[in-house]
């Protein structure tokens, strides 16, 4: 089960705390700092929906996430780029 999670940090929460926590979560495959309505975009891989739920809870409890928005990846299109 792969998903993308947009994370908005708590007001005043340090980005370094979030990034340190993300490094400790094996399901997080990548993380990017974003402009716009969220602070980070994560790509995650979980065994099932329950593991995804626990991951989101962990983001809120340990990574300083105020808000998360999750989307399941159904199919990835290979574009053949560099």
């Amino acid at each position: 089960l792969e998903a993308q999670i947009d994370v908005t940090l708590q007001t005043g929460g340090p980005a370094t705390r979030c990034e340190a926590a993300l490094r400790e979560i094996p399901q997080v495959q990548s993380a990017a700092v974003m402009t716009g309505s969220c602070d980070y975009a994560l790509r995650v891989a979980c065994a099932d929906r329950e593991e995804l739920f626990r991951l989101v809870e962990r983001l809120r409890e340990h990574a300083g996430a105020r808000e998360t928005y999750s989307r399941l990846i159904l199919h990835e299109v290979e574009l053949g780029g560099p």
Side-chain angles (χ1 to χ4, degrees):
L1 178 81
E2 292 187 69
Q4 185 172 5
I5 304 174
D6 293 342
V7 176
T8 303
L9 297 179
Q10 297 172 10
T11 304
T16 54
R17 173 185 171 205
C18 177
E19 292 176 15
L22 293 176
R23 287 185 185 94
E24 299 298 318
I25 302 173
Q27 294 88 347
V28 176
Q29 296 180 325
S30 66
V33 176
M34 306 299 290
T35 62
S37 61
C38 72
D39 296 307
Y40 288 89
L42 311 180
R43 183 176 180 114
V44 302
C46 297
D48 52 32
R49 292 182 307 178
E50 181 61 30
E51 186 175 65
L52 178 61
F53 173 76
R54 289 191 311 269
L55 171 71
V56 170
E57 289 297 305
R58 188 172 177 185
L59 291 172
R60 292 183 179 139
E61 292 173 11
H62 301 289
R66 175 176 52 89
E67 186 176 313
T68 60
Y69 180 75
S70 304
R71 296 175 305 286
L72 297 180
I73 297 171
L74 299 177
H75 174 74
E76 199 159 359
V77 178
E78 294 293 329
L79 300 176

